[in-house]
């Protein structure tokens, strides 16, 4: 029987490794201290002059930023003196079916939570709908989606997050604007310094408003003279409604309807820039699922075709209110989630009638390559970002039609191969 040979490192190797570990342990704190020194100089020499010019007091500035150090654990940071790193090709980032966004575990929790809160908040929601015209179930759906009806813990110091990102994030100009807005919030006495808690992205309170959105849309609805989107349910709910109204919510209109689109109607007609009256869509043969007619009051109003998975999923005729929901989070799927969850809170757990197709094994890099191929052919895909928004979807449909294929308006392995 052979005996396994054990190889032990030499004493010299052990000593070298020990010294290396000790050196690395010294370098990290030194680098952090260096960044902190640069950060403090930036606060006083760069940020403070602008804050002063915008009318923020030195007392507020010093109190808000006292003791703040850069949080180097936050994402999307660029070390001082370095250039942003070019993202690596993310072959590992799988592109999945849009149906994953509507997992019953997620949307079921939002809808059940919303229905559970309807009775206790009925009076407040009725008053909000009377003032703003936004239905209570829609407001509840956003509240539930954003922070689980306030259950999500906002454990970050907003000034630490915003200060770090304004100093060294990939989008530091945007965060500089948000940091100055946060200082303005405290300087105006709208919120105490201690109450400025946020997400890791700097979003405030239960509605998850960035500071600029707080200043524009947050309202006092409980009558205590200040908007409290951290602790006051009436203020949280009314501020969400205020946000939607400020972005153009149309009172009395729904967000949209699930529909059946006949094969003769091209999926390339999708998009907010290709609107028709709902009567015109109906004239093309598009019908509501379940056999219900479109509301009479909607027939002369404009609607838009939405097919988030092309022919591989449910289809909708949406109203301008859908695109107002999208202002809360620039995603078709987010806006659809909110509209659908609101319907379920109001009317019960009726799911989409059509299922979502299986995409197969594709990656975001595959989708981006396909988008670049379409761009070379002159199609407007919006952005070659690996995410097929409505411009990409309808460009796929137009290319398919031009090349004698059945228009599906959604990527698949064959399309990726053909358009690379």
């Amino acid at each position: 029987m052979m005996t396994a040979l054990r190889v032990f490192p030499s004493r010299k190797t052990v000593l070298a490794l020990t010294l290396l570990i000790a050196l690395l342990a010294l370098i990290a704190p030194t680098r952090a201290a260096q960044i902190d020194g640069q950060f403090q100089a930036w606060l006083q020499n760069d940020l403070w002059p602008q804050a002063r010019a915008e009318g923020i007091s030195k007392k507020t500035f010093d109190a808000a930023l006292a003791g703040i150090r850069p949080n180097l654990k936050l994402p999307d940071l660029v070390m001082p003196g370095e250039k942003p790193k070019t993202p690596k090709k993310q072959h590992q980032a799988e592109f999945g079916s849009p149906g994953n966004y509507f997992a019953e575990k997620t949307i079921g929790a939002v809808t059940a939570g919303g229905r559970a809160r309807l009775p206790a908040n009925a009076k407040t929601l009725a008053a909000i709908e009377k003032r703003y015209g936004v239905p209570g179930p829609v407001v509840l759906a956003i509240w539930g989606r954003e922070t689980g009806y306030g259950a999500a813990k906002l454990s970050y110091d907003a000034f630490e997050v915003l200060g770090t990102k304004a100093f060294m994030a990939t989008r530091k100009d945007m965060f500089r604007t948000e940091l100055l807005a946060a200082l303005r919030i405290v300087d105006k006495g709208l919120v105490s310094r201690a109450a400025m808690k946020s997400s890791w992205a700097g979003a405030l309170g239960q509605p998850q408003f960035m500071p600029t959105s707080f200043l524009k849309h947050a309202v006092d609805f409980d009558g205590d003279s200040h908007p409290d989107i951290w602790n006051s349910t009436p203020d949280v709910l009314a501020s969400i409604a205020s946000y939607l109204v400020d972005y153009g919510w149309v009172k009395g209109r729904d967000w949209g309807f699930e529909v059946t689109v006949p094969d003769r109607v091209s999926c390339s007609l999708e998009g907010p820039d290709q609107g028709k009256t709902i009567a015109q869509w109906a004239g093309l043969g598009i019908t509501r699922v379940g056999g219900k007619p479109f509301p009479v009051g909607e027939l002369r109003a404009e609607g838009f075709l939405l097919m988030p998975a092309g022919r591989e999923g449910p289809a909708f005729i949406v109203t301008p209110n859908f695109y107002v929901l999208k202002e809360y989070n620039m995603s078709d799927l987010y806006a659809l989630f909110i509209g659908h969850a609101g319907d379920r809170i109001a009317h019960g757990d009726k799911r989409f009638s059509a299922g979502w197709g299986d995409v197969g094994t594709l990656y975001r890099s595959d989708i981006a390559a396909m988008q670049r191929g379409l761009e070379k052919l002159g199609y407007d895909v919006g952005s070659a970002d690996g995410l097929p928004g409505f411009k990409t979807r309808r460009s796929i449909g137009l290319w398919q039609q031009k090349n004698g294929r059945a228009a599906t308006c959604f990527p698949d392995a064959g399309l990726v191969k053909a358009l690379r």
Side-chain angles (χ1 to χ4, degrees):
M1 180 184 295
M2 293 184 64
T3 304
L5 179 64
R6 295 183 179 180
V7 180
F8 294 95
S10 67
R11 183 176 298 175
K12 187 181 289 185
T13 301
V14 171
L15 180 60
L17 288 171
T18 303
L19 288 172
L20 178 60
I21 292 169
L23 181 62
L24 290 172
L26 287 171
I27 289 173
T30 302
R31 177 64 168 147
Q34 181 183 31
I35 291 172
D36 181 47
Q38 293 171 312
F39 176 70
Q40 299 303 326
W42 172 79
L43 287 178
Q44 298 305 321
N45 302 327
D46 189 337
L47 187 67
W48 164 240
Q50 183 176 356
R52 178 179 56 200
E54 294 188 11
I56 295 164
S57 72
K58 190 69 164 69
K59 180 180 178 181
T60 294
F61 187 89
D62 290 343
L65 297 166
I68 294 296
R69 302 287 181 267
N71 183 344
L72 303 183
K73 295 180 181 179
L74 295 173
D76 302 322
L77 301 184
V78 181
M79 295 299 117
E82 296 181 7
K83 293 182 178 179
K85 294 180 181 178
T86 302
K88 294 180 180 178
K89 241 183 176 181
Q90 295 191 6
H91 290 282
Q92 75 279 9
E94 278 199 45
F95 172 73
S97 166
N100 297 337
Y101 199 89
F102 300 91
E104 189 57 30
K105 181 178 180 181
T106 304
I107 198 164
V110 171
T111 55
R115 284 197 302 272
R117 287 164 176 79
L118 268 175
N121 295 287
K123 186 176 180 180
T124 298
L125 290 168
I128 288 171
E129 184 163 1
K130 183 177 180 180
R131 179 181 297 185
Y132 296 103
V134 182
V138 169
V139 174
L140 288 171
I142 292 176
W143 184 25
R145 178 69 187 181
E146 291 300 317
T147 54
Y149 299 103
K153 301 301 179 186
L154 302 175
S155 57
Y156 288 86
D157 183 303
F159 286 102
E160 178 188 80
V161 172
L162 296 170
T164 300
K165 288 181 172 285
F167 176 60
M168 57 191 300
T170 53
R171 295 181 294 164
K172 60 185 180 182
D173 289 344
M174 183 201 86
F175 282 104
R176 183 187 185 100
T177 298
E178 296 298 343
L179 175 57
L180 289 164
L183 288 166
R184 203 169 298 116
I185 289 169
V186 175
D187 197 57
K188 288 183 173 183
L190 299 172
V191 180
S192 72
R193 167 65 181 87
M196 290 289 283
K197 297 296 182 182
S198 75
S199 70
W200 60 266
L204 307 175
Q206 295 184 41
Q208 287 292 272
F209 283 176
M210 294 304 289
T212 52
S213 290
F214 179 96
L215 289 170
K216 292 175 184 175
H217 311 298
V219 295
D220 166 33
F221 205 73
D222 62 10
D224 68 355
S225 301
H226 73 280
D228 182 0
I229 61 171
W230 288 265
N231 305 296
S232 168
T233 296
D235 290 4
V236 168
L237 297 175
S239 295
I240 292 170
S242 169
Y243 185 103
L244 298 178
V245 166
D246 290 345
Y247 275 102
W249 183 272
V250 181
K251 184 177 181 179
R253 293 204 70 184
D254 210 319
W255 67 270
F257 313 91
E258 188 182 356
V259 297
T260 300
V261 181
D263 291 341
R264 65 179 180 274
V265 177
S266 174
C267 51
S268 66
L269 291 175
E270 182 185 6
D273 53 353
Q274 299 193 97
K276 302 178 187 295
T277 67
I278 291 181
Q280 288 174 321
W281 288 116
L284 293 175
I286 292 177
T287 57
R288 286 183 70 182
V289 299
K292 286 185 177 181
F294 291 106
V296 173
E298 292 279 4
L299 290 175
R300 294 184 180 181
E302 190 173 34
F304 312 91
L305 182 61
L306 173 75
M307 300 180 75
R311 291 284 180 183
E312 306 301 321
F316 308 86
I317 294 296
V318 299
T319 75
N321 283 343
F322 174 87
Y323 293 101
V324 173
L325 294 177
K326 192 174 173 180
E327 290 290 343
Y328 215 99
N329 182 319
M330 292 304 292
S331 160
D332 285 342
L333 297 183
Y334 177 90
L336 183 57
F337 184 103
I338 298 303
H340 183 54
D343 286 349
R344 288 175 56 163
I345 290 170
H347 307 299
D349 281 328
K350 185 177 180 181
R351 305 182 188 186
F352 296 132
S353 64
W356 301 88
D358 183 13
V359 175
T361 305
L362 289 176
Y363 301 93
R364 281 188 59 177
S365 54
D366 294 327
I367 308 300
M370 182 200 68
Q371 289 170 319
R372 288 191 293 272
L374 285 166
E375 284 181 327
K376 288 178 183 177
L377 295 171
Y379 292 94
D380 179 8
V381 300
S383 175
D385 57 4
L387 298 172
F390 76 90
K391 289 185 177 181
T392 295
R393 296 193 296 266
R394 71 187 184 193
S395 293
I396 289 171
L398 291 169
W399 181 87
Q400 289 170 320
Q401 290 168 193
K402 185 176 179 180
N403 288 273
R405 303 186 180 203
T408 65
C409 296
F410 209 63
D412 59 43
L415 279 167
V416 168
K417 185 177 180 181
L419 286 163
R420 272 186 180 277

